Amino acid sequence: MKYQKQVSVGGTWVKGAEVVSGTHCKLMSATERMPSQFKDEKTGETKFQDVAKVLFSGDTETKNISLNRATINGLVDAFGEDSVLWQDQVLTAETEKVRVAGRAVTAVYLLPEGYERVDDENGYTVIVKKGTQVGAPEEIPSIDF
């Protein structure tokens, strides 16, 4: 049997239900991809999560946060692909109650300044620059023959 070295993260984790929507925060570390405690239901393989240290306004200690895909895409759009560039940027936390695997959880989204959380044409949450139309059909240029 082959084994891989497990990476563990020390410290407390953000609990979505305890985050106050509208609170400001900053990422205090680069984001690292690491194995999660969950397995893919179809393949049985370990799922991965993107983890960073976050400091919420009013707190004195950082906590671990698993960044969701919407948050990552918004951070990439605002600050670039290198998660080192995401550090020390003022972000606004927004929460939403969602159902995951049949149970209610509170999702936490981190929004850069000037960005908003909206649903795309398929009903999925995305984080976009304010005023961006999501899912709008692309304009097809007319060609004169």
Side-chain angles (χ1 to χ4, degrees):
M1 162 144 317
K2 290 184 180 181
Y3 289 90
Q4 291 184 340
K5 186 175 173 182
Q6 293 292 321
V7 179
S8 62
V9 178
T12 57
W13 286 81
V14 169
K15 292 180 176 79
E18 295 175 0
V19 174
V20 176
S21 205
T23 302
H24 288 101
C25 61
K26 290 183 180 183
L27 294 180
M28 304 304 287
S29 72
T31 303
E32 300 285 334
R33 177 160 277 230
M34 58 186 50
S36 77
Q37 64 186 12
F38 301 104
K39 303 257 185 217
D40 185 298
E41 290 178 12
K42 294 178 184 166
T43 66
E45 300 215 0
T46 300
K47 289 186 173 186
F48 286 84
Q49 60 184 343
D50 299 291
V51 178
K53 296 280 188 185
V54 65
L55 181 64
F56 286 95
S57 179
D59 286 353
T60 56
E61 291 186 34
T62 62
K63 293 180 180 174
N64 300 311
I65 187 166
S66 181
L67 301 178
N68 53 48
R69 187 60 38 207
T71 293
I72 290 172
N73 289 341
L75 294 170
V76 167
D77 188 51
F79 308 117
E81 295 177 356
D82 188 344
S83 69
V84 169
L85 301 173
W86 307 348
Q87 294 179 75
D88 212 32
Q89 303 287 346
V90 176
L91 306 169
T92 302
E94 285 192 11
T95 60
E96 175 184 35
K97 291 193 186 311
V98 296
R99 292 202 74 70
V100 176
R103 59 185 197 127
V105 297
T106 302
V108 178
Y109 302 95
L110 304 181
L111 284 66
E113 189 173 332
Y115 281 69
E116 63 185 342
R117 185 173 56 90
V118 297
D119 289 340
D120 68 10
E121 65 274 7
N122 297 314
Y124 293 104
T125 295
V126 292
I127 296 172
V128 296
K129 201 173 272 193
K130 284 184 180 173
T132 301
Q133 286 193 359
V134 177
E138 291 185 25
E139 195 170 307
I140 301 172
S142 61
I143 301 173
D144 295 327
F145 291 99

